[in-house]
């Protein structure tokens, strides 16, 4: 057996046994050393398979079945870079169907979905310094402040055309950097046909969408982000795929990537097909996809969409009562897949982010796999998000009776390693923008929004905000048009944007706000039991004993004078942030900038000081020289 035949046998074996985690390097379209182009596709139940494309005038060239592997292959000459192609699958019933290449790394622009032949290019990356810095510490101990972006609607040209990856690099990267974000999280950039799906109905699991340019253009965008000290996270959808019959559905004429049971295959909630996560070839396909984006595209993390759909047999509509062999509703194959996915990712990239968008109370989502957990290192805190928005949407007159919406999150905040998300899902489909959710007149809406954003920055957990919220866009998000950048001509919107930038930079510069996010030592409870006055306060602690930030909040439009705050040490303290500063759109023209804590115990703390707590506002304060702190 030749070396090439041995390689084919090995790769086929790995793919079929669920261990082929670089399957894109074998399946799909590849340029060979002799300038021939190989085509390989998995279609185990097909009667025949052929490749068609611009290189053969879309007339079928037959491929050959490789033993009992279910993989068909062939080599062609006269294929050029940029040629388009598909596979023609003949089912056992003799029906012919043109299908996409599941492993294609670039597709033609919609509405077409033919794959593009790519000639391999040795890319020169320029992000080695970023990657080296990324390896120095675990992400749990770093400041993570994510700007969630939908590339198709962040900006558009006046005629409605998309910005290209190059144009987005020129404008989005410096903007996100200037605003003080640590990462951008891109709503799915994997190839998809329907704009209205926002990318969650995916077609190509290895291909950046051609809407904005080529694969190389996308890689350049990521490279430039890293050079600007900006991480890149992308939403990834391993639970379900697009319904289109020329995509993955019944790929060889039978259920191939989806469940054989049509009821389990049908995802009614999202109008998609569910992957059969217990099938070994599907495991190879999906884990290869995840590792491709992390390895080949240098991404800093994946936000895994709709994890609950993979954890429960009865998650979808109309599936009530479905149980496994143990009599409960867990999807054992889905759980095993997620554990395998995270195990393989972190063996290769211990410094990346694997973020679960998981909406239930499933335990140990961020727990270790060897201890029964799913193995993610972060989970969106959906409970905190819903409760916080419910509280801030409420008329301040009634907030004192609903402080449990704020305090309940303290009960479970260390159960998982959380990210606090104000995501796209909360500002669409009639839910209103964050700004529009806030009660009161326009001035009070901005005051509420500034206070809520400060509450997020102070609460334990990393953070994520969707584009447009940083300046308080009033209209809810629309995927078909750009953000309302014209808002920034309004002084209040402009000042809100300046506030967000200042808050983000403050967050990054103060270790207490992120260093111990997931440890009980990272928070000290102080003024958390004064619901009657609708005020609230706590202390965030860093590893260093005397490094902490005092956070105090007033959730009603009534100024609180001589408001006492308990702190661990007497001494001198300084103001970090007053959300009601004139520069941010507030009313305070003169700020209290220094405070002296005396040996007067208060709220369980040995010392305390008084402040004027602004109406519908928040203060962040830190020690400047406290008793007991070494001069060194």
């Amino acid at each position: 057996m030749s070396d090439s035949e041995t390689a084919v046998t090995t790769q086929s074996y790995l793919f079929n046994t669920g261990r082929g985690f670089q399957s894109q390097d074998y399946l799909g379209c590849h340029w060979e050393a002799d300038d021939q182009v190989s085509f390989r596709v998995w279609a185990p139940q097909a009667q025949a398979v052929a490749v068609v494309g611009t290189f053969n005038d879309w007339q079928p060239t037959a491929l050959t079945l490789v033993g009992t592997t279910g993989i068909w292959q062939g080599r062609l000459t006269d294929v050029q870079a940029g040629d388009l192609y598909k596979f023609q699958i003949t089912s056992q019933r003799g029906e012919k169907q043109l299908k996409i290449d599941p492993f294609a790394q670039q597709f033609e622009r919609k509405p077409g979905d033919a794959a593009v032949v790519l000639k391999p290019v040795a890319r020169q990356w320029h992000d080695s310094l970023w990657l080296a810095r990324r390896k120095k510490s675990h992400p749990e101990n770093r400041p993570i402040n994510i700007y969630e972006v939908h590339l198709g609607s962040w900006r558009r040209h006046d005629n409605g055309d998309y910005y290209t990856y190059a144009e987005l690099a020129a404008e989005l990267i410096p903007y996100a950097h200037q605003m003080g974000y640590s990462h951008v999280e891109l709503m799915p950039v994997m190839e998809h046909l329907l704009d209205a799906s926002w990318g969650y109905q995916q077609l190509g699991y290895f291909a950046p969408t051609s809407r904005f340019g080529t694969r190389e253009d996308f890689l350049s965008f990521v490279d430039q982000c890293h050079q600007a000290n900006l991480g890149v996270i992308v939403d990834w959808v391993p639970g379900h795929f697009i319904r289109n019959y020329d995509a993955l559905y019944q790929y060889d004429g039978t259920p191939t990537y989806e469940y054989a049971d049509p009821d389990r295959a049908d995802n009614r909630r999202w109008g998609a097909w569910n992957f059969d996560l217990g099938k070994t070839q599907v495991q190879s396909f999906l884990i290869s996809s995840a590792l491709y984006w992390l390895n080949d595209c240098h991404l800093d993390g994946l936000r895994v969409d709709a994890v609950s759909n993979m954890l429960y047999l009865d998650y979808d509509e109309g599936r009530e009562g479905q149980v496994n062999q143990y009599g409960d509703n867990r999807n054992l194959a889905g759980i095993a897949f997620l554990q395998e996915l995270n195990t393989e990712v972190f063996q290769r990239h211990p410094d990346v982010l694997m973020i679960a968008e998981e909406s239930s109370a499933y335990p140990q989502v961020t727990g270790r796999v060897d201890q029964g957990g799913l193995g993610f290192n972060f989970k969106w805190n959906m409970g905190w998000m819903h409760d916080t928005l419910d509280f801030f949407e409420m008329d301040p007159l009634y907030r004192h009776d609903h402080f449990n919406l704020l305090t309940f999150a303290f009960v479970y905040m260390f159960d998982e390693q959380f990210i606090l998300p104000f995501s796209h899902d909360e500002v669409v489909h009639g839910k209103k923008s964050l700004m529009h959710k806030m009660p009161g007149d326009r001035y009070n809406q901005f005051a509420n929004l500034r206070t809520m954003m400060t509450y997020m920055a102070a609460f334990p957990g990393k953070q994520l905000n969707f584009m447009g919220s940083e300046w308080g866009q009033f209209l809810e998000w629309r995927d078909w048009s750009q953000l309302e950048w014209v808002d920034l001509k309004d002084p209040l919107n402009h000042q809100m944007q300046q506030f967000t930038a200042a808050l983000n930079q403050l967050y990054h510069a103060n270790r207490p706000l992120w260093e111990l996010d997931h440890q009980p030592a990272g928070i000290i409870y102080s003024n958390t039991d004064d619901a009657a006055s609708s005020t609230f306060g706590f202390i965030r602690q860093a590893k260093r004993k005397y490094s902490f930030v005092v956070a105090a909040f007033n959730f009603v439009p009534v100024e609180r004078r001589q408001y006492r705050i308990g702190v661990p040490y007497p001494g001198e303290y300084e103001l970090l942030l007053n959300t009601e500063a004139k520069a941010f759109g507030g009313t305070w023209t003169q700020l209290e900038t220094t405070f002296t804590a005396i040996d007067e115990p208060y709220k369980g703390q040995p010392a305390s000081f008084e402040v004027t707590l602004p109406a519908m506002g928040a203060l962040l304060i830190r020690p400047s020289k406290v008793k007991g702190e070494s001069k060194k």
Side-chain angles (χ1 to χ4, degrees), residues 303-309 311-312 315 338 355-363 365 374 376 379-383 416 418:
R303 182 278 223 169
V304 182
D305 183 64
V307 169
S308 298
N309 183 58
L311 293 178
Y312 300 105
Y315 183 75
L338 292 169
I355 304 166
E357 189 264 318
E358 204 281 305
S359 56
S360 76
Y362 189 90
V365 172
L374 296 183
F376 291 94
K379 174 187 174 178
W380 276 15
N381 193 337
M382 311 289 273
E416 304 279 3
F418 284 121

Side-chain angles (χ1 to χ4, degrees), residues 399-401 403 528-535:
R399 287 178 178 173
H400 67 278
D401 286 331
F403 254 55
T528 54
D529 59 352
D530 196 6
S533 68
S534 292
T535 60

Side-chain angles (χ1 to χ4, degrees), residues 498-519:
Q498 291 180 310
F499 168 79
T500 302
L503 179 64
N504 289 348
Q505 289 153 9
L506 182 154
Y507 164 80
H508 194 277
N510 287 273
R511 301 178 77 90
L513 297 178
W514 46 263
E515 192 172 42
L516 297 177
D517 265 330
H518 312 296
Q519 300 177 40

Side-chain angles (χ1 to χ4, degrees), residues 440-467:
D441 59 18
R442 186 164 166 78
Y443 171 82
N444 276 290
Q445 285 181 312
F446 276 108
N448 271 280
L449 187 58
R450 291 192 299 268
T451 300
M452 187 176 74
M453 292 301 191
T454 306
Y455 180 67
M456 169 192 262
F459 195 89
K462 312 308 179 185
Q463 51 190 332
L464 174 146
N465 277 291
F466 185 57
M467 62 184 196

Side-chain angles (χ1 to χ4, degrees), residues 390-620:
D390 286 349
F391 181 84
F392 274 91
E393 286 185 80
M394 192 178 299
D395 188 312
L397 182 64
Y398 306 110
R399 287 178 178 173
H400 67 278
D401 286 331
H402 298 275
F403 254 55
N404 61 303
L405 291 171
L406 296 184
T407 57
F408 181 59
F410 286 85
V411 175
Y412 63 85
M413 62 184 169
F414 299 120
D415 288 357
E416 304 279 3
Q417 294 188 164
F418 284 121
I419 289 175
L420 313 175
F422 289 142
S423 75
H424 66 276
D425 276 328
E426 309 318 313
V427 295
V428 73
H429 295 327
K431 296 180 183 178
K432 302 186 291 189
S433 68
L434 291 189
M435 170 63 177
H436 196 180
K437 293 176 193 288
M438 300 296 107
D441 59 18
R442 186 164 166 78
Y443 171 82
N444 276 290
Q445 285 181 312
F446 276 108
N448 271 280
L449 187 58
R450 291 192 299 268
T451 300
M452 187 176 74
M453 292 301 191
T454 306
Y455 180 67
M456 169 192 262
F459 195 89
K462 312 308 179 185
Q463 51 190 332
L464 174 146
N465 277 291
F466 185 57
M467 62 184 196
S469 63
E470 71 270 22
W471 73 72
Q473 175 171 302
F474 186 79
L475 292 180
E476 70 174 19
W477 172 54
R478 300 168 300 176
D479 65 89
W480 62 88
S481 66
Q482 70 172 354
L483 296 177
E484 296 290 305
W485 294 95
V486 68
D487 287 350
L488 293 174
K489 294 181 180 179
D490 183 294
L492 284 175
N493 288 112
H494 182 66
Q495 289 167 324
M496 182 68 206
Q497 186 188 47
Q498 291 180 310
F499 168 79
T500 302
L503 179 64
N504 289 348
Q505 289 153 9
L506 182 154
Y507 164 80
H508 194 277
N510 287 273
R511 301 178 77 90
L513 297 178
W514 46 263
E515 192 172 42
L516 297 177
D517 265 330
H518 312 296
Q519 300 177 40
I523 187 167
I524 300 170
Y525 304 101
S526 56
N527 296 45
T528 54
D529 59 352
D530 196 6
S533 68
S534 292
T535 60
F536 199 67
F538 51 85
I539 298 168
R540 291 301 310 279
Q541 178 70 52
K543 291 180 180 178
R544 191 167 64 85
K545 181 178 180 181
Y546 299 103
S547 178
F548 57 89
V549 170
V550 181
F553 304 91
N554 184 2
F555 299 119
V556 292
V558 179
E559 186 174 271
R560 304 295 186 186
R561 299 189 177 185
Q562 296 180 318
Y563 183 79
R564 184 161 292 277
I565 299 175
V567 290
Y569 311 102
E572 300 304 315
Y573 289 73
E574 63 184 2
L575 179 71
L576 281 174
L577 181 77
N578 182 332
T579 61
E580 276 297 292
K582 185 75 171 177
F584 300 143
T587 60
W588 282 46
T589 57
Q590 291 184 322
L591 304 179
E592 294 179 293
T593 57
T594 59
F595 314 89
T596 300
I598 59 175
D599 287 307
E600 182 175 330
Y602 188 72
K603 301 284 187 178
Q605 296 301 315
S608 61
F609 59 82
E610 288 186 344
V611 302
T612 299
L613 194 55
M616 196 63 71
L619 299 177
L620 297 180

Side-chain angles (χ1 to χ4, degrees), residues 27-29 39-43 49-52 58 63 84-89 97-108 111-116 191-193 201-207 241-252 257 275 285:
L27 291 159
C29 171
F39 293 89
R40 296 189 187 93
V41 64
W42 177 60
V49 175
V51 61
V52 300
W58 298 95
L63 303 183
L84 304 179
Y85 71 95
K86 287 190 173 187
F87 292 113
Q88 178 183 277
I89 309 294
Q97 173 76 52
L98 290 183
K99 292 282 191 176
I100 66 161
D101 177 2
F103 289 89
Q105 295 181 21
Q106 188 171 314
F107 287 88
E108 64 176 326
D113 60 1
V116 178
E191 191 60 87
H192 56 282
L193 294 178
Q201 300 280 2
Q202 294 184 358
L203 174 82
Y205 275 74
F206 296 84
F241 58 87
I242 192 171
R243 275 204 186 275
N244 294 34
Y245 279 48
D246 58 348
L248 298 181
Y249 175 67
Q250 296 218 344
Y251 194 84
D252 61 8
Y257 289 87
F275 280 108
F285 173 76

